[in-house]
Coordinates of all heavy atoms in Angstrom, one line a residue:
Q1 N 0.9 -1.1 0.0 CA -0.1 0.0 0.0 C 0.9 1.3 -0.1 O 0.5 2.2 -0.6 CB -1.0 -0.1 1.2 CG -2.1 -1.1 1.0 CD -3.0 -1.3 2.2 OE1 -3.4 -0.1 2.7 NE2 -3.4 -2.4 2.4
L2 N 2.1 1.2 0.6 CA 2.9 2.4 0.6 C 3.6 2.6 -0.8 O 3.9 3.7 -1.1 CB 4.1 2.1 1.5 CG 3.6 2.1 3.1 CD1 4.9 1.7 3.9 CD2 3.1 3.4 3.4
L3 N 3.5 1.6 -1.6 CA 3.9 1.7 -3.1 C 2.8 2.2 -4.0 O 3.1 2.2 -5.2 CB 4.5 0.3 -3.5 CG 5.7 -0.2 -2.8 CD1 6.0 -1.6 -3.3 CD2 6.9 0.7 -3.1
G4 N 1.7 2.5 -3.6 CA 0.7 3.1 -4.2 C -0.5 2.1 -4.6 O -1.3 2.5 -5.6
Y5 N -0.6 1.0 -3.9 CA -1.6 0.1 -4.2 C -2.7 0.3 -3.2 O -2.4 0.6 -2.1 CB -1.0 -1.4 -4.2 CG -0.2 -1.8 -5.3 CD1 1.1 -1.4 -5.2 CD2 -0.7 -2.4 -6.4 CE1 2.0 -1.7 -6.3 CE2 0.1 -2.8 -7.4 CZ 1.5 -2.5 -7.4 OH 2.4 -2.7 -8.4
E6 N -3.9 0.0 -3.7 CA -5.1 0.3 -2.8 C -5.7 -1.2 -2.5 O -5.9 -1.9 -3.4 CB -6.1 1.1 -3.5 CG -7.4 1.3 -2.8 CD -8.4 2.0 -3.6 OE1 -8.0 2.7 -4.7 OE2 -9.5 2.2 -3.3
D7 N -6.0 -1.4 -1.3 CA -6.7 -2.7 -0.7 C -8.2 -2.5 -1.1 O -8.9 -1.8 -0.4 CB -6.5 -2.9 0.6 CG -7.1 -4.2 1.2 OD1 -7.9 -4.9 0.4 OD2 -7.1 -4.5 2.3
I8 N -8.6 -3.0 -2.2 CA -9.9 -2.7 -2.8 C -11.0 -3.4 -1.9 O -12.1 -2.8 -1.6 CB -10.1 -3.3 -4.2 CG1 -9.0 -2.4 -5.2 CG2 -11.5 -3.0 -4.7 CD1 -8.9 -3.0 -6.4
L9 N -10.8 -4.5 -1.4 CA -11.8 -5.2 -0.6 C -11.9 -4.8 0.8 O -12.9 -4.9 1.5 CB -11.7 -6.7 -0.6 CG -11.5 -7.3 -2.1 CD1 -11.4 -8.8 -2.0 CD2 -12.9 -7.0 -2.8
G10 N -10.9 -4.3 1.4 CA -10.8 -3.9 2.8 C -10.2 -4.9 3.7 O -9.9 -6.0 3.3
K11 N -9.8 -4.5 4.9 CA -9.1 -5.3 5.9 C -9.8 -6.7 6.1 O -11.0 -6.7 6.4 CB -8.8 -4.6 7.1 CG -7.9 -5.3 8.1 CD -7.7 -4.4 9.2 CE -6.7 -5.2 10.2 NZ -6.4 -4.3 11.4
N12 N -9.1 -7.8 6.0 CA -9.6 -9.1 6.4 C -10.7 -9.5 5.6 O -11.4 -10.5 5.8 CB -10.1 -9.1 7.9 CG -8.9 -9.0 8.8 OD1 -7.7 -9.3 8.5 ND2 -9.1 -8.3 9.9
N13 N -10.8 -9.1 4.3 CA -11.8 -9.5 3.4 C -11.1 -10.1 2.2 O -10.3 -9.5 1.5 CB -12.7 -8.3 2.8 CG -13.9 -8.8 1.9 OD1 -13.9 -9.8 1.4 ND2 -14.8 -7.9 1.7
Y14 N -11.4 -11.4 2.0 CA -10.7 -12.2 1.0 C -11.7 -12.7 0.0 O -11.4 -13.8 -0.7 CB -9.8 -13.3 1.6 CG -8.7 -12.7 2.5 CD1 -8.9 -12.5 3.9 CD2 -7.4 -12.4 1.9 CE1 -7.9 -11.9 4.6 CE2 -6.6 -11.8 2.7 CZ -6.7 -11.6 4.1 OH -5.8 -11.1 4.8
Q15 N -12.9 -12.2 -0.1 CA -14.0 -12.8 -0.9 C -14.1 -12.0 -2.2 O -15.2 -11.6 -2.6 CB -15.3 -12.8 -0.1 CG -15.2 -13.6 1.2 CD -15.0 -15.0 0.9 OE1 -15.5 -15.6 0.0 NE2 -14.1 -15.6 1.8
G16 N -13.1 -11.9 -3.0 CA -13.0 -11.2 -4.3 C -14.0 -11.7 -5.2 O -14.6 -10.9 -6.0
Q17 N -14.4 -12.9 -5.2 CA -15.3 -13.5 -6.1 C -16.7 -12.9 -5.9 O -17.6 -13.1 -6.8 CB -15.2 -15.0 -6.2 CG -15.7 -15.7 -4.9 CD -14.8 -15.8 -3.7 OE1 -13.7 -15.2 -3.8 NE2 -15.3 -16.4 -2.7
S18 N -16.9 -12.4 -4.7 CA -18.3 -11.9 -4.3 C -18.5 -10.5 -4.9 O -19.7 -10.0 -4.7 CB -18.4 -11.9 -2.8 OG -18.3 -13.1 -2.3
Y19 N -17.7 -9.9 -5.6 CA -17.8 -8.5 -6.0 C -17.4 -8.2 -7.4 O -16.6 -9.0 -8.0 CB -16.8 -7.6 -5.2 CG -17.0 -7.7 -3.7 CD1 -16.3 -8.6 -3.0 CD2 -17.9 -6.8 -3.1 CE1 -16.5 -8.5 -1.5 CE2 -18.0 -6.8 -1.7 CZ -17.4 -7.7 -1.0 OH -17.6 -7.8 0.4
Y20 N -18.1 -7.2 -8.0 CA -17.6 -6.6 -9.3 C -16.6 -5.5 -8.9 O -16.8 -4.9 -7.8 CB -18.8 -5.8 -9.9 CG -20.0 -6.7 -10.3 CD1 -21.1 -6.6 -9.6 CD2 -19.8 -7.4 -11.4 CE1 -22.2 -7.4 -10.1 CE2 -21.0 -8.2 -12.0 CZ -22.1 -8.1 -11.2 OH -23.2 -8.8 -11.5
I21 N -15.5 -5.5 -9.5 CA -14.5 -4.4 -9.2 C -14.5 -3.5 -10.5 O -14.4 -3.9 -11.6 CB -13.1 -5.1 -8.9 CG1 -13.2 -5.9 -7.6 CG2 -12.1 -3.8 -8.8 CD1 -11.8 -6.5 -7.4
I22 N -14.7 -2.2 -10.1 CA -14.7 -1.2 -11.2 C -13.6 -0.1 -10.9 O -13.2 0.0 -9.8 CB -16.1 -0.6 -11.3 CG1 -16.4 0.0 -9.9 CG2 -17.1 -1.6 -11.8 CD1 -17.9 0.8 -10.0
R23 N -13.2 0.6 -12.0 CA -12.4 1.6 -11.8 C -12.7 2.9 -12.6 O -13.5 2.8 -13.5 CB -11.0 1.2 -12.2 CG -10.7 1.0 -13.7 CD -9.3 0.6 -14.0 NE -9.3 0.6 -15.6 CZ -8.2 0.3 -16.2 NH1 -7.1 -0.1 -15.5 NH2 -8.2 0.2 -17.5
R24 N -12.1 3.9 -12.2 CA -12.3 5.2 -13.0 C -11.1 6.0 -13.0 O -10.4 6.1 -11.9 CB -13.4 6.1 -12.2 CG -13.8 7.4 -12.9 CD -14.9 8.0 -12.2 NE -14.6 8.3 -10.8 CZ -14.7 9.4 -10.1 NH1 -15.5 10.3 -10.7 NH2 -14.5 9.4 -8.9
K25 N -10.7 6.6 -14.1 CA -9.5 7.5 -14.2 C -9.9 8.9 -13.7 O -10.9 9.4 -14.1 CB -9.1 7.5 -15.7 CG -8.0 8.4 -16.0 CD -6.7 7.6 -16.1 CE -5.6 8.5 -16.6 NZ -4.5 8.5 -15.7
T26 N -9.0 9.4 -12.9 CA -9.1 10.8 -12.4 C -7.9 11.6 -12.7 O -6.9 11.0 -13.2 CB -9.4 10.8 -10.9 OG1 -8.1 10.4 -10.3 CG2 -10.5 10.0 -10.5
E27 N -7.8 12.9 -12.5 CA -6.7 13.6 -12.7 C -5.4 13.2 -11.9 O -4.4 13.5 -12.3 CB -7.0 15.1 -12.5 CG -7.4 15.4 -11.1 CD -7.8 16.9 -11.0 OE1 -8.7 17.3 -11.8 OE2 -7.3 17.5 -10.1
H28 N -5.7 12.4 -10.8 CA -4.6 12.0 -10.0 C -4.3 10.5 -10.2 O -3.5 10.0 -9.3 CB -5.0 12.3 -8.5 CG -5.2 13.8 -8.2 ND1 -4.2 14.7 -8.4 CD2 -6.3 14.4 -7.9 CE1 -4.7 15.8 -8.1 NE2 -6.1 15.7 -7.8
G29 N -4.9 9.8 -11.0 CA -4.7 8.4 -11.3 C -6.0 7.7 -11.3 O -6.9 8.2 -11.7
Y30 N -6.0 6.5 -10.8 CA -7.2 5.6 -10.8 C -7.9 5.4 -9.4 O -7.1 5.4 -8.5 CB -6.8 4.2 -11.4 CG -6.6 4.2 -12.8 CD1 -5.3 4.4 -13.3 CD2 -7.7 4.0 -13.7 CE1 -5.2 4.5 -14.7 CE2 -7.5 3.9 -15.1 CZ -6.2 4.2 -15.6 OH -6.0 4.1 -17.0
V31 N -9.2 5.4 -9.4 CA -9.9 5.1 -8.2 C -10.7 3.8 -8.4 O -11.2 3.6 -9.5 CB -10.9 6.2 -7.9 CG1 -11.8 5.9 -6.7 CG2 -10.3 7.6 -7.8
F32 N -10.7 3.0 -7.4 CA -11.3 1.6 -7.4 C -12.5 1.5 -6.6 O -12.4 2.2 -5.5 CB -10.3 0.5 -7.1 CG -9.2 0.4 -8.1 CD1 -8.0 1.0 -7.9 CD2 -9.3 -0.5 -9.2 CE1 -7.0 1.0 -8.8 CE2 -8.3 -0.5 -10.1 CZ -7.1 0.1 -9.9
K33 N -13.5 0.8 -6.9 CA -14.7 0.6 -6.0 C -15.2 -0.9 -6.3 O -15.0 -1.5 -7.3 CB -15.7 1.5 -6.6 CG -17.0 1.6 -5.7 CD -17.9 2.6 -6.2 CE -17.7 4.0 -5.9 NZ -17.8 4.3 -4.4
K34 N -15.7 -1.4 -5.2 CA -16.4 -2.7 -5.3 C -17.8 -2.6 -5.1 O -18.4 -1.7 -4.4 CB -15.8 -3.7 -4.3 CG -16.2 -3.3 -2.9 CD -15.5 -4.2 -1.8 CE -16.1 -3.7 -0.5 NZ -15.5 -4.2 0.6
T35 N -18.6 -3.5 -5.7 CA -20.0 -3.6 -5.5 C -20.5 -5.1 -5.7 O -19.9 -5.8 -6.5 CB -20.8 -2.6 -6.4 OG1 -22.2 -2.7 -6.1 CG2 -20.7 -2.9 -7.9
T36 N -21.6 -5.3 -5.1 CA -22.3 -6.7 -5.4 C -23.5 -6.5 -6.1 O -24.1 -7.6 -6.6 CB -22.6 -7.3 -4.0 OG1 -23.4 -6.5 -3.2 CG2 -21.3 -7.6 -3.2
S37 N -24.0 -5.4 -6.4 CA -25.2 -5.1 -7.0 C -25.1 -4.9 -8.5 O -24.3 -4.0 -9.0 CB -25.9 -3.9 -6.4 OG -27.0 -3.4 -7.2
K38 N -25.9 -5.6 -9.3 CA -25.9 -5.5 -10.7 C -26.5 -4.1 -11.1 O -26.0 -3.5 -12.1 CB -26.7 -6.6 -11.4 CG -26.7 -6.6 -12.9 CD -25.6 -7.3 -13.4 CE -25.7 -7.8 -14.8 NZ -24.5 -8.3 -15.4
V39 N -27.4 -3.6 -10.3 CA -28.1 -2.3 -10.6 C -27.1 -1.2 -10.4 O -26.9 -0.2 -11.3 CB -29.3 -2.1 -9.6 CG1 -29.9 -0.8 -9.9 CG2 -30.3 -3.2 -9.9
K40 N -26.3 -1.3 -9.3 CA -25.3 -0.3 -9.1 C -24.2 -0.3 -10.2 O -23.7 0.7 -10.5 CB -24.7 -0.4 -7.7 CG -25.6 0.0 -6.6 CD -24.8 -0.1 -5.2 CE -25.7 0.3 -4.1 NZ -25.0 0.1 -2.8
L41 N -23.8 -1.5 -10.6 CA -22.8 -1.7 -11.6 C -23.3 -1.0 -12.8 O -22.5 -0.2 -13.5 CB -22.6 -3.2 -11.8 CG -21.6 -3.5 -13.0 CD1 -20.2 -3.0 -12.7 CD2 -21.6 -5.0 -13.4
K42 N -24.4 -1.2 -13.3 CA -25.0 -0.6 -14.5 C -24.9 0.9 -14.4 O -24.6 1.6 -15.3 CB -26.4 -1.1 -14.8 CG -26.5 -2.5 -15.2 CD -28.0 -2.9 -15.6 CE -28.0 -4.4 -16.1 NZ -29.4 -4.7 -16.3

């Protein structure tokens, strides 16, 4: 994380298969978000 990586799922969460992972480019780099909802994903 000190090297510029973001823990997308959060502390002690290893259930990556349970989430959609999305990203967005900003002026400062990329921002990541997770969601389980198909409606929110759309």
Side-chain angles (χ1 to χ4, degrees):
Q1 290 178 36
L2 293 174
L3 294 173
Y5 290 83
E6 176 183 349
D7 180 357
I8 299 169
L9 302 180
K11 187 175 181 178
N12 296 326
N13 185 345
Y14 298 91
Q15 299 299 319
Q17 70 277 4
S18 300
Y19 299 95
Y20 298 103
I21 296 179
I22 56 177
R23 72 177 185 184
R24 179 179 57 141
K25 177 100 168 121
T26 67
E27 60 188 47
H28 302 293
Y30 285 90
V31 177
F32 294 89
K33 187 178 280 288
K34 67 179 183 192
T35 184
T36 56
S37 167
K38 187 81 166 177
V39 173
K40 285 183 182 178
L41 173 67
K42 287 181 182 180

